[in-house]
Amino acid sequence: MAKPPATPPTATPTMLRRVNAGKVLGVLTRARVMTGTGLIEATGLTRATVHAVCNDLISMGWVVELDPGRTSVGRPSRRFEYNNRAGYVLGIDIGASKTTVLVSDLRGETVAKAGRPAADVKTPGERTEIVHETVTEALASAGVSNEQVLVAGVGVAAPVDRDGNILVDDEFWRRFDGDLAKRLTELHGWPVLLENDANLAALGEHWRGGARNVDDLVVLLAGERFGSGLMDSGRLLHGSRGGAGEMVFLKLIEGVGDTHGIARIAREKGTAAVAEPSVETSLRKLVDGGEVTAEQVFSAAADGDEVALGILQDIAARTARVIATVGILFNPELVVLGGAVAEAAAALLPDLEKHLAGYTSTPPRVAVSSLGDAIVSVGAVRHALNYVEQHALDLELGCRPS
């Protein structure tokens, strides 16, 4: 015998007030300043309800009421604004060689930034300690206390599942502390949201980069190792264990063979050229006995050095195979090259596009990110803000008015 349908919960006044508060706050987070009339039109609520809800949000600290200004006729309209200093969020990029921390207000504007090298870190615990020290420095620079921080978004170069757990099956991924979120919360008191760095790069590019109106998107972090963040219809793809977008499959692709990124390939090929006495290249003078960098290879190519230009042509051909494969698998509208190498990678675009046309009949559009090496930390801020906007009415504000 079929069970009767469950009776839906009764809408209590408290529940309705919460729903209405969520509507008003949702509008104000996207707007700058709204009048009571504007909020009525945007939410469909009555004037009395809008004003009552705004009074609640003001007392909670989420909204501030502005001076109504002068008006020639009648009572001036009340004017409300989302309190972007009601609290702060952190965007943390824990890279293999550097940790970067952004302190942001609730509009996503950067208040302070700090960074520390981490290339010589040998254990996950040491890496967590560097993150802690960098966070402490950033908060001190911003004049923000731990109590004022609502949440931190954190990017790591490892698969992270939907529940924020790091997959540590691979030797490279084991460089990151599996208890990182728990330990940072114990040290600072705020919740930590772990996410894969390339996924955060996709969030950052979609929010503040050149992909603001693109919902079918791939962002390739292309520095030392290739990693990809995938967005389908504006939604991040994770896969069953957080492995969607991992690029280990490149080892199986003819003409690619590994996950090495643009910066690493440029450095290795440049080093090989400089080491060969018979090769004439201006790279040798740029290096001046030191180690070759990817930046020097791109610089030499920009100055017309034939060897450096040849290296870039090889990199473009290899990268085109990577993009074509990702394009065929996921059919994005746009592929963005991101990370510290992005600005220099613009020089690769003409050759990339020529190669792509030969690999697929539906090549995606390719662009480079304008966010530079901040792309992951910017995405981490967006990840944190999404959490704040979703859970705002349950958060205790450290900046709550007395």
Side-chain angles (χ1 to χ4, degrees):
M1 181 175 176
K3 292 183 179 180
T7 303
T10 303
T12 65
T14 300
M15 183 185 299
L16 287 174
R17 194 140 182 167
R18 182 182 175 87
V19 169
N20 292 338
K23 285 183 181 180
V24 170
L25 196 56
V27 171
L28 286 171
T29 57
R30 295 187 297 273
R32 286 293 173 184
V33 177
M34 294 284 286
T35 63
T37 301
L39 286 171
I40 292 166
E41 293 173 351
T43 62
L45 301 174
T46 66
R47 181 174 299 276
T49 299
V50 163
H51 285 181
V53 165
C54 283
N55 289 338
D56 288 345
L57 293 172
I58 290 168
S59 68
M60 294 171 67
W62 286 111
V63 171
V64 292
E65 184 169 2
L66 305 178
D67 187 321
R70 296 182 178 180
T71 181
S72 57
V73 179
R75 178 183 298 177
S77 295
R78 296 179 70 185
R79 297 163 68 236
F80 305 100
E81 184 177 31
Y82 181 58
N83 184 7
N84 64 307
R85 296 297 174 100
Y88 297 85
V89 300
L90 303 183
I92 305 175
D93 175 13
I94 308 177
S97 61
K98 182 180 180 181
T99 290
T100 303
V101 176
L102 296 183
V103 182
S104 168
D105 69 16
L106 299 185
R107 291 278 187 200
E109 300 304 321
T110 299
V111 178
K113 179 179 180 179
R116 295 199 177 195
D120 297 329
V121 171
K122 295 181 174 57
T123 68
E126 290 175 354
R127 191 176 301 278
T128 301
E129 182 61 26
I130 286 178
V131 176
H132 164 60
E133 292 171 355
T134 312
V135 164
T136 301
E137 178 185 342
L139 290 176
S141 178
V144 171
S145 67
N146 279 315
E147 291 72 25
Q148 292 173 289
V149 175
L150 300 179
V151 66
V154 179
V156 293
V160 179
D161 66 20
R162 295 183 185 92
D163 296 322
N165 300 309
I166 298 177
L167 178 67
V168 290
D169 294 354
D170 182 274
E171 180 59 37
F172 179 83
W173 301 332
R174 279 195 287 271
R175 299 180 188 183
F176 298 94
D177 186 350
D179 289 325
L180 176 65
K182 178 182 176 183
R183 292 180 65 186
L184 287 177
T185 298
E186 289 172 350
L187 287 165
H188 296 278
W190 24 258
V192 173
L193 311 175
L194 289 185
E195 182 56 276
N196 172 260
D197 57 353
N199 282 350
L200 292 181
L203 277 182
E205 190 65 28
H206 189 256
W207 179 41
R208 289 280 171 89
R212 270 172 272 202
N213 297 312
V214 178
D215 285 344
D216 296 297
L217 169 70
V218 172
V219 173
L220 285 176
L221 293 182
E224 290 299 304
R225 298 171 87 234
F226 274 114
S228 67
L230 312 174
M231 189 171 278
D232 180 75
S233 300
R235 181 176 59 90
L236 284 177
L237 299 184
H238 286 88
S240 63
R241 300 177 64 200
E246 288 301 322
M247 307 293 277
V248 180
F249 72 87
L250 292 179
K251 296 178 180 180
L252 308 177
I253 304 298
E254 182 180 352
V256 181
D258 51 50
T259 61
H260 298 172
I262 290 171
R264 179 168 179 172
I265 296 295
R267 186 175 66 249
E268 290 178 348
K269 286 182 174 288
T271 299
V274 168
E276 180 55 56
S278 63
V279 173
E280 292 290 333
T281 174
S282 62
L283 268 175
R284 197 171 283 109
K285 184 180 292 185
L286 285 174
V287 173
D288 193 25
E291 295 184 354
V292 178
T293 66
E295 291 79 5
Q296 289 167 340
V297 174
F298 279 96
S299 177
D303 291 337
D305 183 86
E306 292 295 330
V307 171
L309 285 168
I311 292 173
L312 263 58
Q313 288 169 359
D314 290 345
I315 291 173
R318 180 177 181 274
T319 305
R321 288 176 178 266
V322 175
I323 293 173
T325 304
V326 170
I328 292 167
L329 286 172
F330 299 104
N331 192 31
E333 176 184 341
L334 174 67
V335 173
V336 176
L337 297 175
V341 75
E343 183 177 355
L348 303 175
L349 291 182
D351 282 342
L352 272 174
E353 290 168 354
K354 281 190 285 188
H355 286 294
L356 278 173
Y359 293 143
T360 170
S361 59
T362 57
R365 185 162 56 91
V366 182
V368 297
S369 176
S370 61
L371 298 177
D373 62 359
I375 189 170
V376 173
S377 49
V378 168
V381 167
R382 182 64 263 174
H383 191 41
L385 290 175
N386 288 347
Y387 175 90
V388 171
E389 291 170 12
Q390 183 178 356
H391 300 281
L393 299 178
D394 298 312
L395 297 175
E396 184 70 28
L397 297 181
C399 305
R400 185 169 181 164
S402 56

